[in-house]
């Protein structure tokens, strides 16, 4: 790692050098973002993520002692931050069902300069928004797949009403967890007729709606390419009523392609992970609920950091281990996927962290 003195000297030579990422993988991609799954449990059973037939009453979720503790998560976040991570996103499963999550946010928010955010299904956000903000959460992403209850309930499969998620989004806006992003996964034949209504609704509220192409993550959702509504189709559908123009990315590696409404009033994003894979700019590492490091959402094996933590590894040893994994990284699953879900074993998104 650079010493402060070396850092200052570099900055005097060329300011761009000082902000140069510290760690690059085998394909030259820097390590910038970290997603941490804080629980493999969720109170929804979205048909494309945790279908009831698989994640039913008998499903063996991880035991409490198997989860990373808040102290372990914070320690890892600090080590990753030292290696160049700028952003941490808490996810799951449903992160707000992890008990005392505000406490973890408080601990992570003490890491200087860290961009801290969280992705939630919004179901208990109305209750938690103020406390999350007070603990140091900066902004939030809420997943919502439809505005009409029959479709939404068909997606979440637990009869959870839309109104409660909207209340959560309003509470987050009120608490200042902004900019708020709303994620809509589009599955053909299920919710694509709601695309334009969703766009109109969130444009009026001033939140950024992002459409996600349905992905072949995990092995339980029976994914087929025909079920994917493409980003192009989505942009075209919305443009008929509210014309869109492409907008520049905020930074290299931004997952969503940005589109602005041509009247200057708002924007949307499309995450074309199937039809326009963005592996070449992928700067994300993931830590699963039980502390395994994954370098791709589609990776089949993780690198066990929990054992290192629990066996007393020093920060330098942890750093070395992460460095070894990242510098060898060559994953680019989405760029080489075939039209069929490949017959390899895949890790569920609820475990690895969406
Ligand atoms: N429970 C939280 C939530 O609902 O946002 C966080 C975890 S969830 C796995 C994270 C995101 O992944 C959600 O926006 C969800 O819609 C998305 N997701 C899950 N399965 C997906 C799939 N097969 N394709 C695309 N997105 C998916």
């Amino acid at each position: 790692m650079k010493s402060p003195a070396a850092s200052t000297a570099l900055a005097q030579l060329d300011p761009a050098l000082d902000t140069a990422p510290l760690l690059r993988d085998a394909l030259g991609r820097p390590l910038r973002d970290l997603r941490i799954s804080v629980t493999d449990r969720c109170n929804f059973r979205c048909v494309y993520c945790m279908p009831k037939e698989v994640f039913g009453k008998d499903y063996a979720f991880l035991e409490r002692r198997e989860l990373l503790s808040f102290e372990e998560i914070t320690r890892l976040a600090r080590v990753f931050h030292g290696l160049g991570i700028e952003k941490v996103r808490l996810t799951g499963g449903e992160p707000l069902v992890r008990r005392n999550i505000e406490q973890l946010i408080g601990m992570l928010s003490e890491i200087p300069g860290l961009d801290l955010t969280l992705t939630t299904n919004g179901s208990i956000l109305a209750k938690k928004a103020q406390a999350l903000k007070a603990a140091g959460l900066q902004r939030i992403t809420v997943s919502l797949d439809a505005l009409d209850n029959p479709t939404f309930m068909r997606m979440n499969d637990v009869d959870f009403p839309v109104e409660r998620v909207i209340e959560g989004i309003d509470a987050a806006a009120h608490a200042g967890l902004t900019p708020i992003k709303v994620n809509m996964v589009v599955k053909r034949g299920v919710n694509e007729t709601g695309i334009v209504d969703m766009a109109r609704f969130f444009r009026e509220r001033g939140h950024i709606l992002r459409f996600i192409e349905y992905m072949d993550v995990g092995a339980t959702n029976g994914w087929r390419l025909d079920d994917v509504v493409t980003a192009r189709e989505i942009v075209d559908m919305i443009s008929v009523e509210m014309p869109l123009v492409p907008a520049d990315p905020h930074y290299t590696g931004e997952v969503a392609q940005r589109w602005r409404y041509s009247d200057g009033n708002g924007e949307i994003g499309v995450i074309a992970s199937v039809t326009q894979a963005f592996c070449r700019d992928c700067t994300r590492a993931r830590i699963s609920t039980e502390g395994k490091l994954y370098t791709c959402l589609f990776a089949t094996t993780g690198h066990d950091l929990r054992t290192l933590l629990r066996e007393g590894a020093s920060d330098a040893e942890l750093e070395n281990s992460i460095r070894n994994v990242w510098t060898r990284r060559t994953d680019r699953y989405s760029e080489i996927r075939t039209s069929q879900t490949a017959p390899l074993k895949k890790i569920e998104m609820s475990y690895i962290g969406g």
Side-chain angles (χ1 to χ4, degrees):
M1 220 170 77
K2 285 180 291 183
S3 69
S7 195
T8 316
L10 273 178
Q12 278 164 0
L13 280 173
D14 177 355
L17 283 179
D18 193 41
T19 54
L22 299 166
L23 198 59
R24 287 185 181 267
D25 72 8
L27 302 178
R29 298 166 295 187
L31 173 62
R32 282 227 183 88
D33 310 288
L34 183 62
R35 296 194 180 193
I36 306 175
S37 174
V38 295
T39 174
D40 58 341
R41 289 166 202 256
C42 186
N43 53 344
F44 282 13
R45 284 293 174 271
C46 297
V47 290
Y48 54 80
C49 188
M50 293 181 74
K52 244 181 202 164
E53 311 79 66
V54 178
F55 296 88
K57 284 202 172 59
D58 298 331
Y59 186 82
F61 288 101
L62 295 169
E63 304 273 342
R64 203 177 162 69
R65 64 186 156 74
E66 296 178 279
L67 311 185
L68 289 186
S69 67
F70 290 171
E71 288 71 21
E72 288 168 334
I73 291 174
T74 307
R75 177 148 177 242
L76 283 181
R78 281 188 188 280
V79 171
F80 272 94
H81 187 51
L83 287 168
I85 286 287
E86 294 159 2
K87 180 164 102 184
V88 166
R89 176 177 297 280
L90 300 182
T91 178
E94 171 48 42
L96 299 190
V97 303
R98 173 100 188 233
R99 205 174 306 144
N100 299 326
I101 187 77
E102 304 82 348
Q103 201 183 322
L104 173 63
I105 287 166
M107 291 160 75
L108 292 171
S109 71
E110 284 175 17
I111 302 176
L114 190 70
D115 180 14
L116 183 59
T117 182
L118 177 151
T119 301
T120 173
N121 62 24
S123 56
I124 42 180
L125 188 55
K127 231 189 295 171
K128 294 233 170 202
Q130 285 290 353
L132 293 170
K133 179 70 185 178
L137 190 68
Q138 290 155 12
R139 57 205 171 76
I140 204 156
T141 298
V142 182
S143 305
L144 179 63
D145 298 327
L147 283 176
D148 70 285
N149 270 318
T151 310
F152 184 51
M153 290 181 184
R154 229 174 113 198
M155 290 295 251
N156 67 54
D157 213 12
V158 289
D159 286 347
F160 198 89
V162 171
E163 293 75 16
R164 300 251 309 272
V165 179
I166 305 282
E167 272 171 39
I169 294 173
D170 290 346
H174 186 70
L177 289 167
T178 51
I180 293 177
K181 290 180 187 154
V182 178
N183 279 351
M184 173 181 181
V185 175
V186 186
K187 188 169 176 200
R188 194 177 302 283
V190 182
N191 65 340
E192 87 261 35
T193 53
I195 288 173
V196 178
D197 285 347
M198 285 278 288
R200 200 182 307 109
F201 183 85
F202 286 107
R203 169 162 128 119
E204 280 162 13
R205 293 197 175 217
H207 305 321
I208 302 169
L209 178 59
R210 305 185 321 163
F211 298 92
I212 308 180
E213 287 181 351
Y214 172 45
M215 284 185 287
D216 50 334
V217 275
T220 57
N221 62 13
W223 182 88
R224 295 176 323 134
L225 187 59
D226 291 350
D227 294 333
V228 179
V229 179
T230 68
R232 186 67 250 175
E233 286 176 83
I234 293 167
V235 168
D236 288 348
M237 268 185 226
I238 298 170
S239 284
V240 171
E241 186 183 317
M242 298 169 281
L244 289 162
V245 290
D248 290 335
H250 287 301
Y251 53 88
T252 310
E254 189 170 30
V255 172
Q257 293 166 17
R258 297 175 58 221
W259 291 79
R260 277 188 300 104
Y261 290 107
S262 63
D263 65 3
N265 202 1
E267 69 176 75
I268 62 150
V270 285
I271 303 181
S273 26
V274 177
T275 60
Q276 297 163 57
F278 36 80
C279 306
R280 79 194 45 152
D281 289 328
C282 179
T283 56
R284 268 171 304 286
R286 294 181 141 83
I287 298 178
S288 73
T289 318
E290 55 180 338
K292 290 205 174 124
L293 170 61
Y294 287 87
T295 53
C296 176
L297 186 52
F298 298 94
T300 46
T301 46
H303 181 85
D304 183 7
L305 296 176
R306 191 187 65 189
T307 300
L308 285 177
L309 283 166
R310 294 190 182 172
E311 285 181 352
S314 66
D315 283 359
E317 283 164 337
L318 286 169
E319 219 180 272
N320 252 336
S321 179
I322 298 164
R323 214 181 264 281
N324 274 336
V325 173
W326 191 262
T327 50
R328 292 191 186 135
R329 174 185 191 242
T330 55
D331 313 77
R332 48 186 203 94
Y333 174 87
S334 294
E335 281 178 356
I336 53 181
R337 70 154 63 76
T338 60
S339 62
Q340 299 292 316
T341 296
L344 44 98
K345 185 175 173 290
K346 290 205 218 131
I347 305 294
E348 297 304 321
M349 200 155 175
S350 47
Y351 163 81
I352 196 173

